[in-house]
Structure formats: C-alpha cells, structure tokens
Amino acid sequence: MRPGRQGTERRNTKPYESALRLYKFINDDISVLNGRQFKNNSASYKTLQSALRYLEIISLGTPAS
C-alpha cells in the first residue's frame, strides 16, 4: 500500500457503510411493497375471475336470438 492511502481508505469507509445501510433499507422496503402489491393483484384477479365465470355461465345459459 502506498503511503498516505490508508487514511483515504478509512475516510471512504464511513460514507460507503452509510450508503450500504441506505441501499439495504430501500431494498427491504421495495421487497415489502412488492409483496403487498402481489397480494392485492392476486385478490383483484380472483375477483375478476369470479366475475368472468359468472358472465360465462349467464351467456351459456341464455338462448341465442
């Protein structure tokens, strides 16, 4: 290692650790939000599937004119 470089590496460690903590925090929040969105989408698709199934039954039961 070159003389004087060790001090620079120590000074750069704190901002890196701070940025890494922030990255992990943001990444964890994104994961939580993605999970919530998946649950909401699943519920919406189940509702849509039920409605389409109901419409299918009605349309098959109605005689064509």
Side-chain angles (χ1 to χ4, degrees), residues 40-61:
N40 287 336
N41 286 346
S42 294
S44 295
Y45 286 129
K46 285 179 184 178
T47 303
L48 178 61
Q49 183 182 26
S50 296
L52 290 174
R53 186 173 295 138
Y54 178 72
L55 288 172
E56 181 182 22
I57 291 169
I58 290 174
S59 67
L60 290 175

Side-chain angles (χ1 to χ4, degrees), residues 12-59:
N12 288 339
T13 300
K14 286 187 180 184
Y16 172 78
E17 289 172 352
S18 177
L20 185 61
R21 278 194 309 273
L22 181 60
Y23 171 79
K24 288 180 179 180
F25 175 78
I26 291 170
N27 203 31
D28 288 345
D29 276 359
I30 289 171
S31 294
V32 169
L33 291 173
N34 281 338
R36 287 180 187 170
Q37 186 175 19
F38 181 80
K39 286 180 182 179
N40 287 336
N41 286 346
S42 294
S44 295
Y45 286 129
K46 285 179 184 178
T47 303
L48 178 61
Q49 183 182 26
S50 296
L52 290 174
R53 186 173 295 138
Y54 178 72
L55 288 172
E56 181 182 22
I57 291 169
I58 290 174
S59 67

